[in-house]
Amino acid sequence: MGSMSAPASTLEDAIQAALATVDDPEIRRPITELGMVKGFTVSDGLVKVDLLLTVAGCPLRDKLTTDITAAVTEIPGITGAEINFGVMSEEQRKALQTTLRGGAAAEPVIPFAQPGSRTRVYAVASGKGGVGKSSVTVNLAAALAKRGLSVGVVDADIYGHSVPRMLGVQSPPTRVEDMIMPPQSHGVKVISIGMFTAGNAAVVWRGPMLHRALQQFLADVYWGDLDVLLLDLPPGTGDVAISLAQLLPNAEILVVTTPQMAAAEVAERAGAIALQTHQRLVGVVENMSWLELPDGSRMEVFGAGGGETVAQSLTQTVGARVPLLGQIPLDTRVREAGDAGTPIVLADPSAPAAKALDEVADKLAVRRESLVGKPLGLMVNAKRG
Ligand SMILES: Nc1ncnc2c1ncn2[C@@H]1O[C@H](COP(=O)(O)OP(=O)(O)O)[C@@H](O)[C@H]1O
Ligand SMILES: [Mg+2]
């Protein structure tokens, strides 16, 4: 020991406490909780930490070094830190995996399907492609994250998988044993089926494969404690909707349509599936509703009334009110923002399309009546986990 006046145990406690404030940049939990701190010594104001990385060649060494140094040098008398990096053994990684899964569970479980899950799950569906389902999904995700909610998106659209691009996700998921860490962008955790299909080969997904992929996305991805999970479904529902109902019976379906859609047809199909799977239809979003002209008038490029007709028709089919949650105008900035990887609700929040999307997000961030009395992490402004 150096010239510290504090008793050794107190100083060591302080260092331990300081280390507990440092999160692993990827897993976003304290390094002490993750079993990454193998040990430390302190001498002449210098803390030497033996740190175990989850994988060799972890690119986050610099960040860890900076964060640990910042944390321990807050302690009076500590002037620096030296990190000796090691790598976890197979056994240590397994232990970490168990910690992350929240216990000794051997079977992969889908946290969102557990009784008492606080996560509200929205499956975004449409009758056909090109109606803006992915654009609506990523904007709602970004808008909800902006409100301080913890948000995840599963891109289950095997034909499109455009969600990562629209959210500007740069990095692939990483692995700890058989746990998958989702990359994050704009505060949204993202997993796409496209991240698991080699190259850009057009993969023909059959029902069972799709079911397994979806199960893996939900069980093996470390999502943490989500307030909202959004799923971008392939157009036309079908196989995925049935799988989803089995895997996530509490998922609520959000229907995206345009004013022009063969409204009755869309409604009938979505309604039939919801009836069959006993899933709740949370509402309808009409996209590409009109184009605002320079003189302020609205040009109804694709006609009018599709969203309202779908909502009314669904209400009749399922026998419960299915509201029209919003009408999103056509705006080239929606596409540009998506292409640039920053959804319009973040890139240009005062645009009418962004405001309309924000209003839909507000409606989705509300407590569900049937869940009153159960813990639900919505409307909490402080971000958790
Ligand atoms: N409200 C809108 N205004 C302008 N362009 C839009 C709007 N909504 C979607 N788009 C564009 O239309 C195209 C199809 O949208 P996308 O979200 O990929 O649809 P889907 O997921 O239903 O296939 C994209 O190029 C997107 O940028
Ligand atoms: Mg899409």
Side-chain angles (χ1 to χ4, degrees):
M1 291 298 298
S3 55
M4 302 302 305
S5 54
S9 65
T10 312
L11 181 61
E12 275 162 19
D13 287 349
I15 293 168
Q16 182 70 36
L19 291 173
T21 66
V22 177
D23 282 353
D24 178 83
E26 196 161 56
I27 306 175
R28 289 161 210 265
R29 293 254 300 260
I31 52 173
T32 48
E33 243 177 66
L34 299 173
M36 292 172 66
V37 179
K38 191 177 168 198
F40 63 84
T41 58
V42 55
S43 166
D44 290 328
L46 181 70
V47 181
K48 292 187 181 175
V49 184
D50 282 323
L51 199 73
L52 297 173
L53 298 170
T54 53
V55 282
C58 169
L60 305 164
R61 288 166 184 239
D62 290 350
K63 171 94 173 107
L64 281 163
T65 304
T66 311
D67 290 356
I68 290 170
T69 306
V72 296
T73 53
E74 294 264 299
I75 303 165
I78 300 295
T79 50
E82 199 179 288
I83 321 294
N84 176 33
F85 289 100
V87 177
M88 284 189 178
S89 67
E90 183 92 337
E91 214 164 293
Q92 287 164 326
R93 269 204 297 271
K94 287 234 164 79
L96 167 59
Q97 201 182 331
T98 307
T99 308
L100 294 179
R101 286 217 171 111
E107 265 296 287
V109 290
I110 297 175
F112 317 114
Q114 301 312 299
S117 162
R118 302 197 288 183
T119 307
R120 195 151 177 185
V121 183
Y122 296 116
V124 185
S126 69
K128 63 168 192 179
V131 301
K133 183 170 48 66
S134 301
S135 303
V136 168
T137 305
V138 299
N139 273 286
L140 292 178
L144 290 164
K146 187 168 70 173
R147 285 160 178 69
L149 298 180
S150 174
V151 182
V153 177
V154 169
D155 178 7
D157 188 345
I158 39 174
Y159 309 108
H161 50 77
S162 47
V163 166
R165 179 179 51 83
M166 287 181 172
L167 278 170
V169 171
Q170 305 288 353
S171 46
T174 51
R175 277 176 179 267
V176 177
E177 287 299 296
D178 56 349
M179 292 283 279
I180 301 161
M181 301 296 158
Q184 267 198 47
S185 187
H186 306 300
V188 177
K189 292 176 181 158
V190 181
I191 283 290
S192 169
I193 204 151
M195 294 169 179
F196 298 88
T197 54
N200 47 18
V203 182
V204 182
W205 291 82
R206 288 169 294 114
M209 267 169 82
L210 208 54
H211 185 88
R212 283 233 318 281
L214 206 52
Q215 186 171 37
Q216 202 190 15
F217 285 173
L218 297 168
D220 292 347
V221 172
Y222 178 70
W223 291 103
D225 197 2
L226 292 185
D227 293 308
V228 179
L229 178 70
L230 289 150
L231 296 106
D232 187 4
L233 298 184
T237 51
D239 279 351
V240 171
I242 308 289
S243 279
L244 187 73
Q246 287 166 1
L247 297 167
L248 289 173
N250 57 332
E252 300 169 64
I253 297 167
L254 179 69
V255 177
V256 178
T257 187
T258 67
Q260 162 205 36
M261 292 291 294
E265 195 191 313
V266 175
E268 208 174 288
R269 229 186 291 162
I273 287 182
L275 279 181
Q276 190 187 339
T277 60
H278 305 288
Q279 283 178 306
R280 181 171 178 257
L281 282 157
V282 68
V284 176
V285 173
E286 185 189 86
N287 188 31
M288 310 187 178
S289 296
W290 56 76
L291 186 67
E292 202 171 293
L293 299 178
D295 68 0
S297 65
R298 291 174 174 184
M299 181 173 147
E300 290 171 335
V301 180
F302 295 119
E308 191 54 58
T309 313
V310 169
Q312 280 172 12
S313 173
L314 281 174
T315 299
Q316 280 201 334
T317 310
V318 301
R321 197 173 97 82
V322 180
L324 177 62
L325 295 173
Q327 292 176 292
I328 320 300
L330 271 166
D331 187 332
T332 51
R333 288 172 288 183
V334 172
R335 182 182 49 74
E336 286 162 4
D339 288 347
T342 302
I344 191 171
V345 294
L346 303 178
D348 211 339
S350 62
K355 284 185 179 162
L357 285 158
D358 261 320
E359 279 169 31
V360 176
D362 279 334
K363 292 175 186 167
L364 296 180
V366 169
R367 234 169 247 268
R368 189 158 121 206
E369 271 167 55
S370 59
L371 289 182
V372 166
K374 291 190 187 177
L376 193 72
L378 296 172
M379 304 309 291
V380 175
N381 272 319
K383 191 166 179 153
R384 294 190 321 260

